[in-house]
Amino acid sequence: MGISVFNISKSYKTVKALQKISFDVKPGELFGLIGPDGAGKTSLFRILTTLLVANEGTATVAGFDVVLDYKKIRNSVGYMPGKFSLYQDLTVEENLTFFATIFGTTIQENYDLIQEIYVQIEPFKNRRAGKLSGGMKQKLALCCALIHKPKVLFLDEPTTGVDPVSRKEFWEMLKRLQQKGITILVSTPYMDEAALCDRIALIQNGKILQIDTPQAIVKHYPKQIYNVSATNTYELINALKAYEYNHSVYPFGEFVHYTDKRPDFNTMELKVYLESKNLSDIEIEKTKVTIEDTFMELAK
């Protein structure tokens, strides 16, 4: 049971949040929706989980139409919104029991699905949800989204604001859930997490820029990227942007990523130019393309 989206559009007065979005998620696939804040990810998630109605277009989730079969979809999917939305004054166990009861099941009946996650928070089962750490809140929210054995799982920026160790653990959990046959659609602003998905859709300003496997998206990047560094990064960026042959310039960690318009680019020529701009300790070397580089190129 997968997801099918065709020409979905959504506007808020004059703001076009989604513009003719189309894609399919195969049954059992871990599909990533990758883009910055304001790209339209949450609006799309709310449409697919029947919490919002699109202005135009159609979509099906687990074989059900998001408008005509909204009640069936709500019983068939798990949804973990970006903002922690469980009852903060209820304990861990009370929250989980509450959500199980809503779906007409019990913790015991579907314990096998959440066991691996729940054992990590079980020692705190009598603690109020509002008093949990970010990583623990995330695991509780995932348990609540899984307690009714959904066919499709929607995770809207589940690792935002979570420490790196908890982020890694969370993605390992997603991979194991996928092995149990659950279709997963996850959104994230973190480009490094995109590589952990089977396929990804890059989204910006409500439009899909590209859909493919992470490996294929990186492979098809059209240019060689260079790491450039100097003593003054701010002046380096300005100098590179002023260079007549620059194709793209943007900061990337401790370096500046640079691509050149010319196919026969000579690094020494660029170094001489930068030295003429009173920059020192200049280093220019080739580097591997990342998904973030591809996104920056497509979003230009």
Side-chain angles (χ1 to χ4, degrees):
M1 295 291 185
I3 302 166
S4 181
V5 179
F6 180 71
N7 276 350
I8 287 288
S9 295
K10 180 64 181 178
S11 297
Y12 302 99
K13 294 184 179 178
T14 59
V15 177
K16 294 181 178 180
L18 297 169
Q19 302 181 56
K20 296 191 178 297
I21 298 289
S22 297
F23 65 90
D24 292 308
V25 180
K26 301 169 188 172
E29 188 174 27
L30 175 50
F31 190 96
L33 199 61
I34 317 298
D37 292 342
K41 303 187 299 296
T42 297
S43 291
L44 181 58
F45 269 57
R46 289 184 175 177
I47 289 169
L48 295 177
T49 53
T50 76
L51 301 176
L52 195 63
V53 178
N55 296 123
E56 60 179 282
T58 59
T60 59
V61 176
F64 301 119
D65 185 276
V66 293
V67 176
L68 301 176
D69 305 312
Y70 70 93
K71 288 185 179 179
K72 291 178 181 177
I73 287 179
R74 290 178 184 180
N75 284 319
S76 303
V77 306
Y79 177 39
M80 185 174 160
K83 184 180 178 182
F84 184 70
S85 57
L86 302 183
Y87 294 98
Q88 308 227 21
D89 55 343
L90 295 183
T91 66
V92 167
E93 192 171 35
E94 287 169 343
N95 265 291
L96 199 52
T97 301
F98 174 75
F99 280 93
T101 304
I102 284 177
F103 287 102
T105 186
T106 63
I107 297 174
Q108 293 73 25
E109 188 175 344
N110 293 328
Y111 188 70
D112 61 309
L113 190 60
I114 66 165
Q115 181 179 6
E116 188 179 347
I117 309 163
Y118 187 62
V119 292
Q120 299 177 48
I121 57 175
E122 195 168 14
F124 312 100
K125 65 181 182 180
N126 294 319
R127 182 178 295 181
R128 290 188 179 186
K131 299 294 183 182
L132 296 172
S133 67
M136 290 296 180
K137 283 181 177 178
Q138 172 202 57
K139 287 166 185 161
L140 174 59
L142 183 56
C143 284
C144 290
L146 289 168
I147 195 59
H148 60 296
K149 245 178 187 170
K151 297 171 184 175
V152 181
L153 186 59
F154 292 91
L155 306 171
D156 190 5
E157 299 192 2
T159 57
T160 299
V162 176
D163 66 271
V165 174
S166 294
R167 277 177 62 191
K168 183 175 181 292
E169 288 177 352
F170 190 85
W171 277 90
E172 289 170 352
M173 287 187 285
L174 292 191
K175 286 291 186 181
R176 289 191 286 270
L177 286 172
Q178 185 189 12
Q179 291 170 4
K180 295 180 179 180
I182 298 174
T183 303
I184 302 173
L185 178 61
V186 58
S187 71
T188 178
Y190 299 126
M191 298 294 166
D192 60 317
E193 293 184 346
L196 303 172
C197 300
D198 296 330
R199 286 190 305 140
I200 58 174
L202 301 178
I203 183 170
Q204 169 78 324
N205 296 327
K207 295 180 180 178
I208 297 288
L209 303 177
Q210 190 171 358
I211 300 174
D212 212 327
T213 64
Q215 297 78 14
I217 283 178
V218 168
K219 184 179 179 181
H220 293 137
Y221 189 83
K223 291 184 173 291
Q224 173 63 56
I225 294 180
Y226 293 84
N227 275 340
V228 185
S229 62
T231 48
N232 189 321
T233 303
Y234 176 74
E235 293 297 334
L236 172 63
I237 292 172
N238 287 337
L240 287 171
K241 285 183 175 180
Y243 190 48
E244 63 177 316
Y245 298 112
N246 97 73
H247 174 76
S248 66
V249 177
Y250 48 89
F252 196 94
E254 60 184 313
F255 299 102
V256 176
H257 272 194
Y258 173 83
T259 59
D260 198 271
K261 292 177 181 177
R262 299 163 295 178
D264 56 345
F265 169 59
N266 187 318
T267 58
M268 282 306 299
E269 187 179 330
L270 177 60
K271 189 172 183 178
V272 170
Y273 164 77
L274 293 174
E275 287 172 343
S276 73
K277 299 296 181 180
N278 299 318
L279 289 160
S280 57
D281 295 332
I282 299 162
E283 290 187 16
I284 305 169
E285 57 185 19
K286 291 181 179 180
T287 188
K288 290 183 179 179
V289 177
T290 67
I291 291 171
E292 187 167 349
D293 294 312
T294 303
F295 185 90
M296 295 294 287
E297 177 68 19
L298 292 170
K300 284 179 68 177

